[in-house]
Amino acid sequence: MIKIKIASKTDIEVLALLGRLTWAESHGHYIEDKNDVSKYLNENFSVFKTKQNVNNPKQIFYIIYVDDLPVGYAKLVLDTSNENITAPNSCQLERIFILNDFIPLKIGQRLLTFVEKQAKKMQLDTMWLTVYIENNRAIRFYERNEFKNVGELNFIVNGKGYENIVFSKTI
């Protein structure tokens, strides 16, 4: 059984661990210096940092479960802008990650659809996100879901920039 729920303060440790594992699985192999990976994970997916994020009312986390096991999550950031996005009621899908072992279940699609519906309920009209230019699987996923390439930006990991595509979609 698959279910999705909005994360709360009781989910902080689960989110921190899911964040570390899924980011390392999906992006770690792109980073040449593995010390940079460790530093990035420690700075961005600590329990302390995750607690700050969960307590921020402009950041909403959704956890997806398979048979009561948390296997992925999404992070929606409200009221955030990007120079490539002109819509006044936009949000950023900052993260959407599924543990590698569960990707074949195609639950990322269910999670994205759920988050889009939640954004519509909040009367948001545009969703944007960034994807590393070499992450072909993610690029295909977003293109299948009608996201359009609207620009680029550098994603910084320990001072080194990684070119990302900015995708946007009217929801």
Side-chain angles (χ1 to χ4, degrees):
M1 176 190 290
I2 296 170
K3 73 177 179 185
I4 301 169
K5 73 167 202 163
I6 296 175
S8 68
K9 293 175 183 178
T10 61
D11 299 306
I12 289 169
E13 291 84 1
V14 168
L15 281 171
L17 184 58
L18 275 173
R20 287 185 73 91
L21 292 172
T22 56
W23 197 91
E25 285 180 346
S26 65
H27 291 79
H29 59 285
Y30 296 123
I31 311 298
E32 293 173 18
D33 185 341
K34 297 312 168 199
N35 290 323
D36 288 347
V37 173
S38 289
K39 184 176 182 191
Y40 184 84
L41 294 173
N42 290 338
E43 289 174 358
N44 292 280
F45 300 104
S46 67
V47 170
F48 177 77
K49 179 69 171 178
T50 304
K51 183 185 279 186
Q52 286 182 318
N53 291 338
V54 169
N55 287 330
N56 182 337
K58 292 185 178 189
Q59 298 182 27
I60 304 168
F61 291 83
Y62 304 92
I63 302 174
I64 189 164
Y65 295 82
V66 174
D67 296 329
D68 296 322
L69 183 68
V71 299
Y73 75 105
K75 178 183 178 185
L76 193 63
V77 182
L78 310 177
D79 300 323
T80 185
S81 61
N82 179 284
E83 65 186 34
N84 301 293
I85 310 300
T86 57
N89 295 320
S90 66
C91 60
Q92 179 187 10
L93 182 60
E94 187 176 281
R95 299 182 189 141
I96 182 167
F97 293 119
I98 304 294
L99 289 167
N100 280 349
D101 287 350
F102 294 88
I103 288 174
L105 298 178
K106 308 277 187 206
I107 58 175
Q109 182 64 59
R110 288 181 68 170
L111 183 55
L112 177 61
T113 300
F114 181 87
V115 172
E116 287 178 352
K117 286 179 182 175
Q118 296 302 304
K120 282 181 187 178
K121 286 180 186 176
M122 290 182 265
Q123 299 180 334
L124 300 168
D125 56 26
T126 303
M127 183 177 289
W128 66 276
L129 55 93
T130 65
V131 179
Y132 182 48
I133 61 168
E134 293 183 26
N135 191 343
N136 293 318
R137 183 182 72 211
I139 291 168
R140 285 189 308 272
F141 175 76
Y142 293 119
E143 288 175 343
R144 269 193 321 270
N145 282 282
E146 301 175 2
F147 281 84
K148 304 292 182 219
N149 182 334
V150 296
E152 58 186 47
L153 64 73
N154 267 335
F155 185 82
I156 307 299
V157 177
N158 202 22
K160 184 174 181 190
Y162 293 86
E163 190 177 341
N164 275 236
I165 299 168
V166 178
F167 278 110
S168 177
K169 176 181 181 178
T170 301
I171 51 173

